[in-house]
Amino acid sequence: MSTVFDALELTDWSRLLHAYGRATETPAHLRALLELEPRGRHAAMNHLWSAILHQGTPWPATEVVARVAVGLLDDPRLDQGAAPVRAALLGFLAGVLQVCDRAHDTEATLEHQARFDLTPFIEAGDDDALYDDEEASDALHAQSMLGCLRVRPIILAAVRDGLDSPDAARRVRAAMAFAAFAQSVPEPPRKDLTTRVWTLARTTRDVDERASLVLALGDLGELPVEFSEDPSPGVRLCAALALVPAQTPDDPSTRWLIELLERQSRDVDGWFGHKPPQLAGPVRFVVLERLSKHLREFEPLAGAAEALARASRREDADEEWGPLLAFALRGAEGRALTVAQQRLLAALVENERVWVPGDAKPHPWFNQVGLPFNREACAQALAQGRIPRRPTRDG
């Protein structure tokens, strides 16, 4: 880790440009990724996506930041705290790799353009003059693109070294990284690395590692069906999550996950010694998100939704009852409620932990489906069997 921080200290960030000027504030944001304070991490990721890789456009600072980010991937602190940041950082590195895929010019053309000397512009501190000069602007873009191309083999080497590590935690982090980058990895190494993940999943004796590797296989688009019969319920759960995108509501894995939410949703976190890093937060939230994303109709989820809504809390809005409400009642405004929709709404109305007495302020999840955040009004809609249509601006 000292090597990473040495790079932060030894780099002259005042000579590196990002989308909004000189990258002098970037080192502080990179350090914030290893701190456990959610606000600092959120600000850091916003900085990476807005300034360092702005709308998919690289800058001279992008290469250095990507190299530092690769060095941070072995740090377990990325998985700690109230807002784990590993997945977000992997997404940023995947974005850097995608820049390489979008390169319109050949590497030789980029190298030719990059030869233009930007030193006078950098030392003068007149960035507007640099952008106004066509040759200088082309050179800036070319140097930025070449930086991304230089860092690509470093990212892939980190994945390969991680998968070959004797440390299970490092292997898991490498597999997770590879799953994030896979679409931007050329075919020969992608096939070899995928085979390596399969081999690790089949041979490891570490149950928690196997569970995480099975999730990585699913993220790679593989179908880890063989792990559906694993002795570990945690591994079976991860296999089911990996298989959901390729299955219908009637397939065994999907049915099992739905039944799990209905009957054992608060037990599943105990199925792991160390929960896979892909399962941030309560596992039931991950299961619900995966099912809601891939089920076309709400009805197969109705029983599980009712059970979750009865046990949910107001603070679980964004991860649990809010998405359920939106999924169940989308397009229901002005129409008669189905039995499944009534069951969910009744469970929420009856659950006093969702409501705060006297608080009738608009709530985004209720507003999305045409309901006020008011217990009595929702009970009235339930009694009427429909959600009243909101008046239009024309009255």
Side-chain angles (χ1 to χ4, degrees):
M1 190 54 58
S2 61
T3 304
V4 176
F5 290 123
D6 286 346
L8 288 177
E9 296 295 337
L10 296 175
T11 298
D12 186 352
W13 294 91
S14 67
R15 297 182 67 86
L16 294 176
L17 289 168
H18 59 44
Y20 302 111
R22 305 298 171 114
T24 51
E25 78 279 37
T26 299
H29 284 300
L30 290 171
R31 289 190 181 90
L33 294 171
L34 296 182
E35 298 170 1
L36 305 186
E37 203 278 309
R39 187 176 301 176
R41 284 178 161 179
H42 181 72
M45 289 311 307
N46 278 343
H47 178 75
L48 295 190
W49 280 114
S50 62
I52 304 301
L53 197 61
H54 181 71
Q55 297 180 357
T57 299
W59 295 81
T62 306
E63 176 188 3
V64 182
V65 170
R67 288 174 181 268
V68 172
V70 170
L72 296 179
L73 290 180
D74 274 336
D75 197 302
R77 283 176 289 180
L78 295 178
D79 303 311
Q80 298 170 1
V85 76
R86 180 178 303 279
L89 189 59
L90 290 174
F92 167 76
L93 287 172
V96 174
L97 290 179
Q98 288 163 9
V99 168
C100 301
D101 297 338
R102 294 194 299 266
H104 300 298
D105 296 313
T106 65
E107 196 165 342
T109 299
L110 292 172
E111 288 174 348
H112 175 74
Q113 293 175 330
R115 292 193 188 103
F116 184 86
D117 186 11
L118 294 177
T119 303
F121 294 93
I122 299 297
E123 293 183 345
D126 188 353
D127 298 341
D128 288 338
L130 188 158
Y131 300 135
D132 290 340
D133 186 293
E134 185 175 355
E135 281 189 285
S137 181
D138 287 346
L140 183 78
H141 172 73
Q143 291 177 14
S144 303
M145 290 295 301
L146 288 170
C148 291
L149 291 170
R150 282 192 296 268
V151 84
R152 177 163 61 179
I154 295 172
I155 295 174
L156 296 183
V159 169
R160 190 175 294 108
D161 291 346
L163 290 176
D164 290 336
S165 171
D167 179 66
R170 190 179 177 202
R171 292 195 297 268
V172 162
R173 293 193 288 265
M176 189 177 172
F178 173 49
F181 308 150
Q183 295 305 313
S184 297
V185 177
E187 179 57 33
R190 181 167 69 243
K191 184 177 180 179
D192 292 343
L193 290 170
T194 301
T195 299
R196 178 65 177 143
V197 177
W198 270 108
T199 301
L200 287 171
R202 287 167 173 157
T203 57
T204 182
R205 296 182 179 181
D206 186 316
V207 173
D208 292 332
E209 179 186 11
R210 185 159 66 251
S212 185
L213 292 171
V214 167
L215 287 172
L217 286 169
D219 291 338
L220 287 166
E222 302 290 303
L223 298 177
V225 178
E226 66 192 71
F227 296 98
S228 299
E229 303 297 328
D230 195 273
S232 163
V235 173
R236 294 199 301 273
L237 169 68
C238 292
L241 287 171
L243 292 169
V244 163
Q247 296 198 333
T248 69
D250 293 327
D251 285 316
S253 293
T254 303
R255 286 204 314 270
W256 182 62
L257 287 176
I258 293 172
E259 292 171 2
L260 199 65
L261 285 181
E262 187 170 356
R263 300 174 185 175
Q264 293 179 276
S265 66
R266 281 163 170 75
D267 299 335
V268 293
D269 290 87
W271 290 355
F272 304 96
H274 295 282
K275 197 164 55 175
Q278 296 100 317
L279 303 181
V283 175
R284 71 181 189 278
F285 293 167
V286 180
V287 176
L288 177 60
E289 187 274 335
R290 189 70 60 96
L291 288 171
S292 300
K293 182 178 179 180
H294 293 285
L295 291 175
R296 294 185 178 181
E297 304 293 337
F298 173 70
E299 276 65 23
L301 198 56
E306 181 182 2
L308 291 172
R310 290 191 184 282
S312 197
R313 305 166 302 167
R314 178 184 172 91
E315 54 264 37
D316 296 329
D318 290 338
E319 292 81 18
E320 193 164 55
W321 59 260
L324 281 172
L325 193 71
F327 187 22
L329 299 181
R330 62 187 176 192
E333 192 174 348
R335 299 179 180 179
L337 295 173
T338 66
V339 172
Q341 291 169 334
Q342 291 182 48
R343 288 172 61 188
L344 174 63
L345 189 55
L348 286 172
V349 168
E350 293 167 10
N351 182 358
E352 62 182 16
R353 287 174 295 185
V354 170
W355 310 93
V356 175
D359 184 1
K361 292 184 295 185
H363 192 288
W365 290 108
F366 278 87
N367 188 60
Q368 189 178 138
V369 298
L371 283 168
F373 185 51
N374 180 281
R375 195 175 187 181
E376 288 72 26
C378 289
Q380 184 178 2
L382 189 61
Q384 294 173 347
R386 69 176 58 244
I387 299 174
R389 189 177 296 279
R390 285 172 285 191
T392 63
R393 291 183 178 179
D394 298 331

